[in-house]
Amino acid sequence: MHEWTGLSRGRALALVTARDPREYPIGMFQRDPVPPPHTGPGTFTWFVAHNEAADFLAQIVPLLLLDPASWPDFDRLVAGTARAARTVPDDGADPATVLGQIAPAWGARADFVWWGSLSDITGDGSGFGGLVRLQYLDSIEDEAEDRVLVDDDLDGLVHFIRAYPY
């Protein structure tokens, strides 16, 4: 059981978005489903491990985005999402690949952007984590835009993530 188990979907979301990524280093970012270029509001959620993130993706996210009574394929969609999400902690599947696999089933109902770790943002990686890092460095007017973040940067980065996208 997870800390959010048994909470309403809104309280569960509030709990995982308020977590400090230094203590809960596995993260996800999703945007509200809007037409391209997908610039709707989004949120980071943080978890202790990939298995908790997979469970949240399978159990809570569908209820946040869809009314089960309004979608005849709700149960099939949830089951497919759960199967795919479990391959990350169970089989070591790449989280980005899993999000890419479930995206077609969700279509315009969700915009799953990122599933990774805080080190994807603080390190020298590319993709969404690298974009967030560069945006953070730009927000503090740092000259070395491609540098790896150090411990001294983490307080500012956590504050930046809480307000992302600004």
Side-chain angles (χ1 to χ4, degrees):
M1 291 184 62
H2 305 292
E3 189 179 5
W4 45 263
T5 301
L7 296 178
S8 70
R9 60 186 178 211
R11 291 188 70 175
L13 178 63
L15 177 83
V16 298
T17 57
R19 287 175 167 175
D20 188 321
R22 292 168 288 196
E23 295 176 40
Y24 297 86
I26 301 302
M28 288 186 177
F29 184 82
Q30 77 179 55
R31 292 189 187 275
D32 285 352
V34 296
H38 303 298
T39 56
T43 189
F44 278 98
T45 51
W46 297 100
F47 308 94
V48 70
H50 285 294
N51 67 335
E52 183 186 12
D55 290 344
F56 191 85
L57 180 60
Q59 296 171 27
I60 301 297
V61 170
L63 296 172
L64 289 168
L65 298 175
L66 303 174
D67 173 13
S70 299
W71 294 96
D73 66 340
F74 182 82
D75 290 337
R76 183 184 53 79
L77 183 63
V78 170
T81 300
R83 259 191 318 279
R86 290 299 320 155
T87 65
V88 174
D90 291 348
D91 302 328
D94 175 50
T97 301
V98 170
L99 292 182
Q101 291 169 347
I102 66 173
W106 279 86
R109 298 177 281 195
D111 184 18
F112 300 109
V113 178
W114 176 77
W115 179 355
S117 69
L118 181 61
S119 64
D120 295 339
I121 298 172
T122 60
D124 60 358
S126 59
F128 182 76
L131 174 66
V132 171
R133 181 182 64 257
L134 292 177
Q135 289 172 332
Y136 169 68
L137 290 170
D138 186 52
S139 77
I140 60 171
E141 300 181 34
D142 191 290
E143 297 293 324
E145 289 186 1
D146 61 349
R147 71 177 174 89
V148 173
L149 299 179
V150 295
D151 287 345
D152 292 347
D153 295 312
L154 290 182
D155 288 340
L157 176 66
V158 169
H159 179 74
F160 179 80
I161 285 172
R162 291 194 193 290
Y164 192 89
Y166 38 88

